[in-house]
Amino acid sequence: MSDFDRDEESLARALKRAADAGGRGIVPEPAERVAARGLRRRRRTTAALAACAVCLLAGSGAALGLRLQQSPPALPASTPDTRTPSVPQGSGTPSERPSPSYPTPPPTASATPSPPFGSPTPPPSPSFSPPDDSGSVTPTALPR
C-alpha cells in the first residue's frame, strides 16, 4: 500500500470515531415539544391567512366605494341663466352673495296670480301653444 492510501484510511477512521462520539452525546427533543412547535406554526399560518383575507376584503370594499362615489353629476332641474354672471357657492358672506335669479316666464293668459316680489318663480313648464300666424304650419301627425 502507498502512503496516500494509509493517510486516507487513518483519516476515515478518525472521522468515524468523531461521528460515533458526537452521536452518543445527542439526545432527541421530546415529542411534546416538537408537536407544540408545529401547533404554533399552524396558528401563525392561520392568523396570517386571516389577516390577508381581511385586508383583501377591506381593499375591495374601499375600491367599490370609490367606484360608486364617482357617479356622473346630476343634471340641473332647469337650465342656468347665461345672462347673469355666476358666483361660486361658498364665496363671500351671505350678505354679499346675490340671490338666485330665475328667468321671467313669458306672459300667458292664465288666471293665476304672480308671486310677490322677491320670491323666486319656478321655471315655466312646457305647454302647448298655438302656432304663429306669421309662418307656415307643418303637421306633426297625419290624420287617418
Side-chain angles (χ1 to χ4, degrees):
M1 258 199 202
S2 69
D3 287 335
F4 185 70
D5 290 333
R6 278 187 230 147
D7 289 339
E8 281 187 7
E9 286 177 14
S10 64
L11 179 61
R13 272 184 267 147
L15 288 174
K16 286 180 186 178
R17 275 187 298 226
D20 288 339
R24 281 185 291 242
I26 294 177
V27 177
E29 198 168 348
E32 298 86 30
R33 207 178 260 176
V34 173
R37 201 170 50 222
L39 187 59
R40 281 192 308 266
R41 180 173 181 165
R42 194 172 305 122
R43 285 181 187 155
R44 281 192 310 262
T45 304
T46 304
L49 287 174
C52 288
V54 167
C55 289
L56 180 67
L57 289 174
S60 298
L64 181 63
L66 289 175
R67 176 79 175 159
L68 290 176
Q69 194 177 30
Q70 294 176 351
S71 62
L75 296 175
S78 64
T79 58
D81 189 11
T82 56
R83 292 175 286 178
T84 60
S86 63
V87 176
Q89 289 188 354
S91 65
T93 61
S95 62
E96 294 175 353
R97 279 187 254 148
S99 63
S101 62
Y102 297 99
T104 57
T108 59
S110 65
T112 59
S114 63
F117 181 73
S119 66
T121 59
S125 60
S127 62
F128 176 76
S129 61
D132 294 348
D133 292 337
S134 62
S136 64
V137 176
T138 305
T140 56
L142 296 175
R144 291 184 183 215

